[in-house]
Amino acid sequence: MEETAPHSRVSCTNEYGSLKKVIVTPPDYMKITEPINETQKHYKDSNIDRERAADEHAGFLDILRGNGVDVLEIPAFPDLPEQVFTRDIAFAVGERLVLASMEEPVRQGESERLKEWLDMYSIPYEQAPDGHIEGGDVLTDGDVIWVGRAKRTSGDAVKDLKKRFPGYSVEPLPLEEDILHLDCVLSILDQDTAIVYPPAFSEEGLRKIENRYPVTIPVTENERFYMGPNVLSLGNRTVVSLPFQERMNNELRSLGFRVIEHDFSEIIKSGGSFRCCTLPLIRD
């Protein structure tokens, strides 16, 4: 049951602390209309089985709640077929929640719905940076903000973040053109460990990542296409991952991570997985 008066505190200092509170939206109206990423182009003809997607999403929320996460739901709206991917509509840096500015017209209405919901529950937020930026392109880790630079996030937004967060090192990472978001090719699992798809990055960008995270788990093109890097950390070295990412999951386990496998094969047809479907408000 949805909480009626969520606490207004926002606090996220990294990608792997103990997850306590997230915003989600059910995939009630999920549909590939005009494909807006490479994955959607691949699945346009088969499209989305909404009943199956709803079952997958409900099972995912059961996992979150079963691991102590407070799940807050924004209702789905018929004119927003991508709304399940709540990660993209905002991002938290420390105790500040910053609205995103969606690049694709089909997704721009999601921001207004989020603002209405945040206002309803008196959760504070900041207006979007200049230009375009989506939450899937923003990964935080202590005093570093990694920002993916491809189609969905502009240079103006990066400049704005540098002004807004002078106490942080804002690190833009240029991405290959066919990459949707940074979190499709990079996942930070703890202070030393990251999942990475190396071909997505420039030599300099990859060097920055490897210098910061001495233990990297490289993924293949096939693993990347089927959303392998887009795991969700629940904290305490526990991640939610896709069951068919067998090689990657085994490597995670060999490094001491607990891997909870969950089928999300219908939802990933639209270009996002577990991280994409959660907007964290609190990580302790």
Side-chain angles (χ1 to χ4, degrees), residues 26-94:
D28 295 351
Y29 304 103
M30 193 177 184
K31 184 180 179 181
I32 300 172
T33 50
E34 191 65 31
I36 58 173
N37 60 59
E38 295 302 313
T39 309
Q40 288 188 0
K41 291 176 185 177
H42 184 77
Y43 287 109
K44 185 179 188 302
D45 291 338
S46 62
N47 222 289
I48 308 294
D49 181 331
R50 287 182 184 165
E51 185 176 349
R52 182 175 175 182
D55 287 344
E56 291 175 355
H57 195 262
F60 175 49
L61 300 191
D62 286 343
I63 290 171
L64 295 180
R65 294 184 177 111
N67 282 271
V69 181
D70 190 1
V71 178
L72 311 177
E73 291 192 24
I74 298 178
F77 291 87
D79 59 332
L80 301 174
E82 303 287 309
Q83 199 183 359
V84 68
F85 299 128
T86 53
R87 175 72 64 156
D88 296 328
I89 52 177
F91 52 93
V93 179

Side-chain angles (χ1 to χ4, degrees), residues 30 32 37 39-40 43 48 53 56 85 225-228 230 242 244-245 262-274 277:
M30 193 177 184
I32 300 172
N37 60 59
T39 309
Q40 288 188 0
Y43 287 109
I48 308 294
E56 291 175 355
F85 299 128
F225 184 81
Y226 292 102
M227 304 306 298
N230 200 257
L242 296 160
F244 53 78
Q245 295 287 351
H262 180 67
D263 183 23
F264 232 36
S265 53
E266 203 64 30
I267 285 177
I268 69 169
K269 289 181 178 179
S270 205
S273 191
F274 303 113
C277 289

Side-chain angles (χ1 to χ4, degrees), residues 149-258:
R149 281 284 290 108
K151 295 178 181 178
R152 302 294 185 89
T153 294
S154 65
D156 287 343
V158 175
K159 291 177 183 175
D160 190 312
L161 286 184
K162 289 182 176 180
K163 292 177 183 176
R164 287 193 195 207
F165 296 98
Y168 290 77
S169 175
V170 178
E171 294 285 353
L173 293 170
L175 302 173
E176 290 294 312
E177 248 184 50
D178 63 334
I179 302 301
L180 175 59
H181 287 131
L182 180 61
D183 65 4
C184 296
V185 291
L186 177 66
S187 183
I188 303 168
L189 303 180
D190 63 22
Q191 291 178 336
D192 299 316
T193 313
I195 299 170
V196 63
Y197 175 62
F201 300 95
S202 66
E203 286 186 16
E204 180 185 3
L206 189 58
R207 186 168 58 250
K208 285 181 180 179
I209 293 168
E210 291 175 341
N211 285 343
R212 176 87 179 192
Y213 305 102
V215 181
T216 57
I217 303 168
V219 296
T220 65
E221 163 60 19
N222 187 67
E223 289 169 331
R224 190 279 307 174
F225 184 81
Y226 292 102
M227 304 306 298
N230 200 257
V231 300
L232 178 69
S233 175
L234 302 180
N236 302 311
R237 294 175 68 79
T238 298
V239 297
V240 185
S241 182
L242 296 160
F244 53 78
Q245 295 287 351
E246 189 174 347
R247 185 206 63 83
M248 188 189 78
N249 293 344
N250 286 338
E251 188 156 354
L252 288 170
R253 291 186 178 105
S254 75
L255 292 170
F257 288 91
R258 174 186 174 223

